[in-house]
Amino acid sequence: MLSRAELMRCFVAKLKDEAVVGGIGNTNFDLFAAGHRKENFYMLGSMGLAFPIALGVALAQPQRGVVGLEGDGSLLMNLGCLATIGMVAPKNLMLIVMDNQAYQITGRQPSATATSCDLVEVARGAGIRRSDWARDVADFERLVEIGLRREGPVLIGARIDAAPATAEPPRDPQQLRDRFMQGMGTRKDVGAL
Ligand SMILES: Cc1ncc(C[n+]2csc(CCOP(=O)(O)OP(=O)(O)O)c2C)c(N)n1
């Protein structure tokens, strides 16, 4: 079992101008805790939307690398997005599934990955051929580097711990949207946010 916080730090340290979309749950919290970037978007409220939003950004900005971060519980709520990503297959899209086998932030109820479901196998079956479990931190870093080379779509699964989050992004949806649009260079009419 890997340290979620350590993986996030390793991941963020490799970023340049990539857009990163965090999902509801610890992926958002860890992404923010690793240091806010103007290219980060933190999804609030609805589970399973980090990958579809990341897909949209990847298609809108094909010159930019785009990464979606999602928890197992959230991805299980929206598995269909994997089939769409497998079909559209943007080279600039990387997906990272942080699998703690539970819906942690609502009380650690076990998810299907605790017993029967392998999300990397699901992703392969959905047409994302470059889908792999990270065996350890070094393997995770290797897979992230492949994803950042824009030879995607790439999906990385990481079986991670359930450490408590250390920070949370601000919960102001308008501010989060406007900041991200500034980070993407698509909104210039607002001042510093
Ligand atoms: C559609 C929907 N159903 C339920 C919830 C309540 N909810 C919020 S976060 C969460 C658990 C998220 O689990 P996971 O994505 O695995 O992330 P983790 O908490 O394990 O980091 C649940 C059930 C919600 N926000 N949206």
Side-chain angles (χ1 to χ4, degrees):
M1 205 168 280
L2 304 171
S3 157
R4 219 182 58 226
E6 185 182 359
L7 294 188
M8 189 64 72
R9 279 194 299 273
C10 293
F11 162 68
V12 170
K14 292 185 189 302
L15 295 174
K16 296 191 177 81
D17 70 343
E18 288 83 2
V20 183
V21 181
I24 177 171
N26 284 299
T27 54
N28 254 346
F29 302 160
D30 295 346
L31 179 63
F32 184 73
H36 176 66
R37 308 161 58 249
K38 63 186 191 315
E39 297 90 355
N40 288 355
F41 181 72
Y42 311 94
M43 181 60 211
L44 297 178
S46 298
M47 297 167 71
L49 289 186
F51 288 179
I53 293 169
L55 170 62
V57 177
L59 294 176
Q61 300 206 353
Q63 305 310 321
R64 188 190 295 274
V66 181
V67 187
L69 307 172
E70 195 71 286
D72 52 297
S74 294
L75 181 56
L76 284 165
M77 193 159 286
N78 196 13
L79 284 177
C81 72
L82 295 177
T84 306
I85 292 166
M87 177 178 68
V88 179
K91 288 193 183 327
N92 56 330
L93 181 60
M94 168 160 52
L95 309 169
I96 301 179
V97 186
M98 293 291 190
D99 186 357
N100 56 11
Q101 309 185 344
Y103 302 86
Q104 184 179 333
I105 71 165
T106 48
R108 293 203 191 183
Q109 301 87 352
S111 80
T113 66
T115 46
S116 45
C117 179
D118 181 320
L119 286 171
V120 166
E121 290 296 329
V122 173
R124 284 201 191 118
I128 306 173
R129 286 197 302 279
R130 291 192 156 176
S131 298
D132 289 286
W133 286 108
R135 289 185 299 271
D136 51 33
V137 178
D139 195 36
F140 176 80
E141 293 198 273
R142 181 184 68 83
L143 294 169
V144 167
E145 278 160 20
I146 293 173
L148 292 177
R149 271 188 240 138
R150 306 194 192 164
E151 296 165 6
V154 165
L155 181 139
I156 305 170
R159 294 193 170 97
I160 41 93
D161 63 1
T166 56
E168 291 192 22
R171 299 186 67 83
D172 179 338
Q174 195 172 332
Q175 185 196 47
L176 293 175
R177 180 199 62 195
D178 290 346
R179 275 184 168 175
F180 182 63
M181 289 177 77
Q182 278 191 332
M184 294 297 99
T186 56
R187 177 134 199 201
K188 300 189 168 67
D189 59 325
V190 283
L193 291 165

